[in-house]
Structures are given as C-alpha cells and as structure tokens.
Amino acid sequence: MNHGSTLGAGVRTGPARAIRKSRWPARLDWMQSVSGLILALFMWGHMFFVSSILLGKDAMWTVTKFFEGYFFFGRAFPGLVSIVVAVVFALVIGHALLALRKFPIDYRQYRSFRDHANTMHHGDTSLWWWQVVTGFALFFLASIHLYVMLTRPGSIGPYGSADRMWSDIYWPLYLVLLFAVELHGGIGLYRLAVKWGWFAGAHPDAARRRLKTLKWALTVFFLALGLTTLAAYIKIGIEHAPNAGVPYTPAWAQTPAVK
Ligand code: HEM
C-alpha cells in the first residue's frame, strides 16, 4: 500500500498528502492580527495629529504642512498625503477581506452564534460580536472618509477640515465613525493581547481583568479626545461658514504680514 513518500522539505506525494493540514488558516489569522495591530497603532497617531486643533489653528496647520513635506522641500505636496492614505486604505481593505472569513454567512449561523452566546453569558464572546458589528459599519464609514482624504488631501487644514465638518455636513459621519473605530480598535487590541499572551503572568484571570480595565480606559480616553476635537472643528466650522472654502494661512505667512 502506498502511504505516500516525502520528497524532502515537507513536500509529500500520494494519499498522505490529503491528510496534511493546510497552514493557510493560521497564516491568514496572523495577517489579520498584524494588519489590525498596525491600523490600531496608526489610529492612535491619527487621533493625536487630528486633535492638534485643540492647541490652536497654527498647530494643526503645522502638522498638516509637515505631512505635505513643506518643511523639507520648501513647498507643500499634498500628493504625499495621498500616498500614505493609499497605503492605509489598502491595509483597511486587506484587513476587512481577511475578517470576512469570520462573519456569520447566513441567518442560521447568526442564530446559532446568538443562542450559544446567550447561554454562555461570556463577556469576551459578546465583545467579539461588537467587533463584528462595528467592523461591518467601518466598511462603509471608513471608505467614505478615506476616499475624501485620498482625492482631496489639499483640503486638509484648520479651515478646510472645519468647513468639511460643518458646511459640508460631515460631522454626523465622523461622530458615528469615531465610536465605531474606537470600540472596534479597543476590542481588537484587547483580544490580540489575550491571544498573544501580552502581560499574562502567573494569574491569567487577573491579567485578563486588568487588560479589560486598560482597554476601557483607552477607549474612554480616545472617545473623549475625539469628541472634544470634533467639537473644536464644529465651532471653527460655524464661525468660518461665511467664508467656507477659504484655506487657513498663519498670520506670519500672510502678505502683507498681519500684526
Ligand atoms: C492616512 C489616512 C487618514 C488620514 C490622512 C486622515 C485624516 C483625517 C483628518 C484630516 C481628519 C479631520 C477632519 C477632516 O479633515 O475631514 C480626520 C478625522 C477623523 N478620522 Fe481620519 N484619516 C485617515 C484615516 C482614518 C481611518 C482609517 C479612520 C478610521 C477607520 C479614521 C477616522 C477618523 C475619525 C473618527 C475622525 C474624526 C476625529 C475626531 O472626531 O476627533 N481616519 N481624519
């Protein structure tokens, strides 16, 4: 009987090949985790950059111009921002594609999951469900935002962003996007920490409780920061509405200089 032969380096022939488990599910899982981790870390940076408006219009203008290469090349290239957005967009799409494998595909699968979850009353299982729901919402919400950032990078700035929020009525989108992304990212990081055993010591249960507290603290912090930032842009947007579309120029860069 032929049980198959090994040709070296794990390559098998014959019937034994059929029982060899594929490594792809594990690889795809790893890729999903890593892309999620990169996006979560990106989001932390993003929230701080966007919230520079809380330090004033000049601060946000400086951050914007920094990413446009103004301080390196002596003039702004908004296309540089588009390149970064394209990379982030590709990561988001890849991450979403990988996540699709985990979505319940029909009502029966969904019912079966809900029934199990309800009987178990397991907090982490409910968290997973919230990640699915917010992830689904992000498909649409993040796409709109990223498309605008990709195609209109030059419009980013203290007035441009504030006008978008208020005069172009993007604030409802940002409000829902903020909650969706903060919940999704917070739960995602927590589940990754549990899965990869970060901070797990001799007492896994205690570690998990600590992680959960940290997760909520981070979510509350970023939600508070995001809401304050949103309010700041809306306030500027209302004040600037009569001149919507006119970009911000710091006083020192105006000609003739404004005293
Ligand atoms: C490189 C990619 C990105 C860039 C350049 C970018 C840039 C910006 C900018 C400039 C704003 C201020 C409002 C505006 O000008 O319209 C903003 C707000 C926001 N962005 Fe992004 N963004 C990016 C990716 C993302 C992603 C992937 C998400 C979430 C999935 C996201 C979520 C948000 C949220 C929730 C707000 C509102 C912030 C707040 O309320 O504090 N952004 N983004």
Coordinates of all heavy atoms in Angstrom, one line a residue, residues 39 42-43 46-47 50-51 60 64 81 84-86 88-89 92 138 141-143 145-146 148-150 155-157 160-162 164-165 170 173-179 181-182 222-223 225-231 233, ligand 1:
L39 N -3.0 49.0 12.1 CA -4.1 50.0 12.0 C -4.5 50.6 13.3 O -4.7 51.8 13.4 CB -5.4 49.4 11.3 CG -5.3 49.1 9.8 CD1 -6.4 48.3 9.3 CD2 -5.3 50.5 9.1
F42 N -1.7 53.0 14.1 CA -1.9 54.2 13.2 C -3.0 55.1 13.8 O -2.8 56.3 13.8 CB -2.3 53.7 11.8 CG -2.9 54.8 11.0 CD1 -2.1 55.8 10.3 CD2 -4.3 54.9 10.8 CE1 -2.7 56.8 9.6 CE2 -4.9 55.9 10.1 CZ -4.1 56.9 9.5
M43 N -4.1 54.5 14.2 CA -5.2 55.3 14.7 C -4.9 56.1 15.9 O -5.3 57.3 16.1 CB -6.4 54.3 15.1 CG -7.6 54.3 14.2 SD -7.8 55.6 13.0 CE -8.9 56.6 13.8
H46 N -3.0 59.0 14.5 CA -4.0 59.8 13.8 C -4.9 60.7 14.7 O -5.0 61.9 14.5 CB -4.9 58.8 13.0 CG -6.2 59.4 12.4 ND1 -7.3 59.7 13.2 CD2 -6.5 59.8 11.1 CE1 -8.2 60.2 12.4 NE2 -7.8 60.3 11.2
M47 N -5.3 60.1 15.8 CA -6.2 60.9 16.7 C -5.4 62.0 17.4 O -5.9 63.1 17.5 CB -6.7 60.0 17.9 CG -7.7 58.9 17.4 SD -9.1 59.6 16.4 CE -10.0 60.4 17.7
V50 N -4.9 64.7 14.5 CA -6.1 65.5 14.2 C -6.5 66.4 15.4 O -7.0 67.5 15.2 CB -7.3 64.5 13.9 CG1 -8.6 65.2 13.7 CG2 -7.0 63.7 12.6
S51 N -6.2 65.9 16.6 CA -6.5 66.7 17.8 C -5.6 67.9 18.0 O -5.8 68.7 18.9 CB -6.6 65.9 19.0 OG -5.3 65.4 19.4
M60 N -2.4 72.9 14.2 CA -2.9 72.0 13.2 C -2.4 72.2 11.8 O -2.0 71.3 11.0 CB -4.4 72.0 13.2 CG -5.1 70.8 12.6 SD -5.7 71.0 10.9 CE -6.2 69.4 10.4
T64 N -0.3 69.6 9.4 CA -0.7 69.3 8.1 C 0.4 69.6 7.1 O 0.7 68.8 6.2 CB -1.9 70.3 7.7 OG1 -2.9 70.2 8.7 CG2 -2.5 69.9 6.4
V81 N 0.4 63.0 1.0 CA -0.6 62.6 2.0 C -1.4 61.5 1.3 O -1.8 60.4 1.9 CB -1.5 63.7 2.5 CG1 -2.7 63.2 3.3 CG2 -0.7 64.8 3.2
V84 N 0.2 58.1 1.5 CA 0.0 57.5 2.9 C -1.4 56.9 3.0 O -1.6 55.8 3.4 CB 0.3 58.5 4.0 CG1 0.1 57.9 5.4 CG2 1.7 59.0 3.9
V85 N -2.4 57.7 2.5 CA -3.8 57.3 2.6 C -4.0 56.0 1.7 O -4.6 55.1 2.2 CB -4.7 58.4 2.0 CG1 -6.2 57.9 2.1 CG2 -4.6 59.7 2.9
A86 N -3.3 56.0 0.6 CA -3.5 54.8 -0.3 C -3.0 53.5 0.5 O -3.6 52.5 0.4 CB -2.7 55.0 -1.6
V88 N -2.8 53.1 3.8 CA -3.7 52.8 4.9 C -5.0 52.2 4.3 O -5.5 51.2 4.8 CB -4.0 54.1 5.7 CG1 -5.1 53.9 6.7 CG2 -2.8 54.6 6.4
F89 N -5.5 52.8 3.2 CA -6.7 52.2 2.5 C -6.5 50.8 2.2 O -7.3 49.9 2.4 CB -7.0 53.1 1.3 CG -8.5 53.2 1.0 CD1 -8.9 54.2 0.1 CD2 -9.4 52.4 1.6 CE1 -10.3 54.4 -0.2 CE2 -10.8 52.6 1.3 CZ -11.2 53.6 0.4
V92 N -6.6 48.7 5.2 CA -8.0 48.5 5.7 C -8.8 47.5 4.8 O -9.4 46.6 5.4 CB -8.8 49.9 5.6 CG1 -10.3 49.7 5.9 CG2 -8.2 50.9 6.6
L138 N -17.7 49.9 9.7 CA -16.5 50.6 9.3 C -16.2 50.4 7.8 O -15.6 51.2 7.1 CB -15.3 50.1 10.0 CG -15.1 50.7 11.5 CD1 -14.0 50.0 12.2 CD2 -14.9 52.2 11.4
L141 N -18.3 53.5 6.5 CA -17.9 54.8 7.1 C -16.4 55.1 6.8 O -16.1 56.2 6.3 CB -18.1 54.8 8.6 CG -19.5 54.4 9.1 CD1 -19.6 54.2 10.6 CD2 -20.5 55.5 8.6
A142 N -15.5 54.2 7.0 CA -14.1 54.5 6.8 C -13.9 54.7 5.3 O -13.0 55.5 4.9 CB -13.2 53.3 7.3
S143 N -14.6 54.0 4.4 CA -14.4 54.1 3.0 C -14.7 55.5 2.5 O -13.9 56.1 1.7 CB -15.2 53.2 2.2 OG -14.9 51.9 2.5
H145 N -14.6 58.3 4.3 CA -13.5 59.2 4.8 C -12.2 59.1 4.1 O -11.6 60.1 3.6 CB -13.3 58.9 6.3 CG -12.2 59.6 7.0 ND1 -12.1 61.0 6.8 CD2 -11.2 59.2 7.8 CE1 -11.0 61.4 7.5 NE2 -10.5 60.3 8.1
L146 N -11.8 57.8 3.8 CA -10.5 57.6 3.2 C -10.6 58.1 1.7 O -9.6 58.6 1.2 CB -10.2 56.1 3.3 CG -9.7 55.7 4.7 CD1 -9.6 54.2 4.8 CD2 -8.4 56.4 5.0
V148 N -12.3 60.6 0.5 CA -12.1 62.1 0.5 C -10.7 62.5 0.8 O -10.1 63.3 0.2 CB -13.1 62.7 1.6 CG1 -12.9 64.2 1.7 CG2 -14.5 62.4 1.2
M149 N -10.0 61.8 1.8 CA -8.7 62.1 2.2 C -7.7 61.8 1.0 O -6.8 62.5 0.7 CB -8.2 61.3 3.4 CG -8.9 61.6 4.7 SD -8.6 63.3 5.2 CE -10.2 64.1 4.9
L150 N -8.1 60.7 0.2 CA -7.2 60.3 -0.9 C -7.3 61.3 -2.0 O -6.3 61.7 -2.7 CB -7.7 58.9 -1.4 CG -6.9 58.2 -2.5 CD1 -5.6 57.7 -2.0 CD2 -7.7 57.1 -3.1
S155 N -7.2 69.7 0.9 CA -8.3 70.4 1.6 C -8.1 70.3 3.1 O -8.8 70.9 3.9 CB -9.7 69.9 1.2 OG -9.8 68.6 1.7
I156 N -7.2 69.4 3.6 CA -7.0 69.2 5.0 C -6.3 70.4 5.6 O -5.3 70.9 5.1 CB -6.1 68.0 5.3 CG1 -6.8 66.7 4.7 CG2 -5.8 67.8 6.7 CD1 -5.9 65.5 4.7
G157 N -6.8 70.9 6.7 CA -6.2 72.1 7.4 C -7.3 72.6 8.4 O -8.4 72.2 8.4
G160 N -10.1 74.1 6.2 CA -10.6 73.1 5.3 C -11.3 71.9 6.0 O -12.5 71.5 5.6
S161 N -10.7 71.4 7.1 CA -11.3 70.3 7.8 C -12.6 70.8 8.6 O -13.6 70.0 8.6 CB -10.3 69.7 8.8 OG -9.2 69.2 8.1
A162 N -12.5 72.0 9.1 CA -13.6 72.5 9.9 C -14.8 72.8 8.9 O -16.0 72.5 9.3 CB -13.3 73.8 10.6
R164 N -15.4 71.2 6.2 CA -15.9 69.9 5.8 C -16.9 69.4 6.9 O -18.0 68.9 6.6 CB -14.8 68.9 5.6 CG -15.2 67.6 5.0 CD -14.1 66.6 4.6 NE -12.8 66.9 5.1 CZ -11.8 67.4 4.3 NH1 -12.1 67.6 3.0 NH2 -10.6 67.6 4.7
M165 N -16.4 69.5 8.1 CA -17.2 69.0 9.3 C -18.6 69.7 9.3 O -19.6 69.1 9.4 CB -16.5 69.3 10.6 CG -15.3 68.6 10.8 SD -15.6 67.1 11.8 CE -14.0 66.6 12.1
Y170 N -20.2 66.8 7.3 CA -19.5 65.5 7.6 C -19.6 65.1 9.1 O -19.2 64.0 9.4 CB -18.1 65.5 7.1 CG -17.9 65.1 5.7 CD1 -18.4 65.9 4.6 CD2 -17.3 63.9 5.3 CE1 -18.3 65.5 3.3 CE2 -17.2 63.5 4.0 CZ -17.7 64.4 3.0 OH -17.5 64.0 1.7
L173 N -21.1 61.8 10.1 CA -20.3 60.7 9.7 C -19.2 60.4 10.7 O -18.9 59.3 11.1 CB -19.8 60.9 8.3 CG -18.8 59.8 7.8 CD1 -19.5 58.8 6.9 CD2 -17.6 60.4 7.1
Y174 N -18.5 61.6 11.0 CA -17.3 61.4 11.9 C -17.8 61.0 13.3 O -17.0 60.3 14.0 CB -16.6 62.8 12.0 CG -15.7 63.0 10.8 CD1 -15.8 64.2 10.1 CD2 -14.8 62.1 10.4 CE1 -15.0 64.5 9.0 CE2 -14.0 62.3 9.3 CZ -14.1 63.5 8.6 OH -13.3 63.7 7.5
L175 N -19.0 61.4 13.7 CA -19.4 61.1 15.1 C -19.6 59.5 15.2 O -19.1 58.9 16.1 CB -20.7 61.8 15.4 CG -21.3 61.6 16.8 CD1 -20.3 62.2 17.8 CD2 -22.7 62.3 16.9
V176 N -20.3 59.0 14.2 CA -20.5 57.5 14.2 C -19.2 56.8 13.9 O -18.9 55.8 14.6 CB -21.6 57.1 13.1 CG1 -21.9 55.7 13.2 CG2 -22.8 58.0 13.2
L177 N -18.4 57.3 13.0 CA -17.1 56.7 12.7 C -16.2 56.6 13.9 O -15.5 55.6 14.2 CB -16.4 57.5 11.6 CG -15.0 57.0 11.1 CD1 -15.0 55.6 10.5 CD2 -14.5 58.0 10.0
L178 N -16.2 57.7 14.7 CA -15.4 57.8 15.9 C -15.8 56.6 16.9 O -14.9 55.9 17.4 CB -15.6 59.1 16.6 CG -14.9 59.4 17.9 CD1 -13.3 59.4 17.6 CD2 -15.3 60.7 18.6
F179 N -17.1 56.5 17.2 CA -17.5 55.4 18.1 C -17.2 54.1 17.5 O -16.7 53.2 18.2 CB -19.0 55.6 18.4 CG -19.3 56.5 19.5 CD1 -19.4 57.9 19.2 CD2 -19.3 56.1 20.8 CE1 -19.6 58.8 20.3 CE2 -19.5 57.0 21.9 CZ -19.7 58.4 21.6
V181 N -14.9 53.2 15.3 CA -13.4 52.8 15.2 C -12.8 52.6 16.6 O -12.0 51.8 16.9 CB -12.6 53.8 14.4 CG1 -12.4 55.1 15.1 CG2 -11.3 53.2 13.9
E182 N -13.3 53.5 17.6 CA -12.7 53.3 18.9 C -13.1 52.0 19.6 O -12.3 51.4 20.3 CB -13.0 54.6 19.8 CG -12.4 55.9 19.4 CD -10.9 55.7 19.1 OE1 -10.2 54.9 19.7 OE2 -10.4 56.5 18.2
F222 N -9.7 57.9 24.2 CA -9.8 58.3 22.8 C -11.1 58.9 22.4 O -11.2 59.7 21.5 CB -9.3 57.2 21.9 CG -7.8 57.1 21.9 CD1 -7.1 56.1 22.5 CD2 -7.0 58.1 21.3 CE1 -5.7 56.0 22.5 CE2 -5.6 58.1 21.3 CZ -5.0 57.0 21.9
L223 N -12.2 58.3 23.0 CA -13.5 58.9 22.7 C -13.6 60.3 23.2 O -14.1 61.2 22.5 CB -14.6 58.0 23.4 CG -15.0 56.8 22.6 CD1 -16.1 56.0 23.4 CD2 -15.6 57.1 21.2
L225 N -11.2 62.4 23.8 CA -10.3 63.3 22.9 C -11.0 63.5 21.6 O -11.0 64.7 21.1 CB -8.9 62.5 22.7 CG -7.9 63.3 21.8 CD1 -7.4 64.5 22.6 CD2 -6.7 62.4 21.5
G226 N -11.6 62.5 21.0 CA -12.2 62.6 19.7 C -13.4 63.5 19.7 O -13.6 64.3 18.8
L227 N -14.2 63.4 20.8 CA -15.4 64.2 20.9 C -15.0 65.7 21.1 O -15.6 66.6 20.5 CB -16.3 63.8 22.0 CG -17.0 62.4 21.7 CD1 -17.8 62.0 23.0 CD2 -18.0 62.6 20.6
T228 N -14.0 65.9 21.9 CA -13.5 67.3 22.1 C -13.0 67.9 20.8 O -13.3 69.1 20.5 CB -12.4 67.4 23.2 OG1 -12.8 66.5 24.2 CG2 -12.2 68.7 23.7
T229 N -12.3 67.1 20.1 CA -11.7 67.5 18.8 C -12.8 67.8 17.8 O -12.8 68.9 17.1 CB -10.8 66.4 18.2 OG1 -9.8 66.1 19.2 CG2 -10.2 66.8 16.9
L230 N -13.8 66.9 17.8 CA -14.9 67.1 16.9 C -15.6 68.5 17.2 O -16.0 69.3 16.3 CB -15.9 66.0 17.0 CG -16.9 65.7 15.9 CD1 -16.2 65.3 14.7 CD2 -17.9 64.5 16.3
A231 N -15.8 68.7 18.5 CA -16.5 70.0 18.9 C -15.7 71.2 18.5 O -16.2 72.2 18.0 CB -16.7 69.9 20.4
Y233 N -13.6 71.4 15.9 CA -13.7 71.7 14.4 C -15.1 72.2 14.1 O -15.3 73.1 13.2 CB -13.6 70.3 13.6 CG -12.1 69.9 13.5 CD1 -11.6 68.8 14.1 CD2 -11.3 70.7 12.7 CE1 -10.3 68.4 13.9 CE2 -9.9 70.3 12.5 CZ -9.5 69.2 13.1 OH -8.1 68.8 13.0
Ligands
HEM1 C1 -3.9 58.2 6.1 C2 -5.2 58.0 6.4 C3 -6.0 59.1 7.0 C4 -5.9 60.5 7.0 C5 -4.9 61.3 6.2 C6 -6.9 61.0 7.9 C7 -7.1 62.4 8.1 C8 -8.1 62.9 8.9 C9 -8.4 64.3 9.0 C10 -7.5 65.4 8.4 C11 -9.4 64.5 9.9 C12 -10.1 65.8 10.3 C13 -11.4 66.0 9.5 C14 -11.2 66.2 8.0 O1 -10.3 66.9 7.6 O2 -12.1 65.7 7.3 C15 -9.8 63.1 10.3 C16 -10.8 62.9 11.1 C17 -11.2 61.6 11.5 N1 -10.7 60.4 11.0 FE1 -9.2 60.2 9.7 N2 -7.6 60.0 8.4 C18 -7.1 58.8 7.9 C19 -7.6 57.5 8.2 C20 -8.6 57.2 9.1 C21 -9.1 55.9 9.4 C22 -8.5 54.6 8.8 C23 -10.1 56.1 10.3 C24 -11.0 55.0 10.9 C25 -11.2 53.9 10.4 C26 -10.3 57.5 10.5 C27 -11.2 58.0 11.4 C28 -11.4 59.4 11.6 C29 -12.3 59.9 12.6 C30 -13.2 59.1 13.6 C31 -12.2 61.3 12.6 C32 -12.9 62.3 13.5 C33 -11.9 62.6 14.5 C34 -12.4 63.3 15.8 O3 -13.6 63.4 16.0 O4 -11.5 63.6 16.6 N3 -9.3 58.2 9.8 N4 -9.0 62.2 9.6

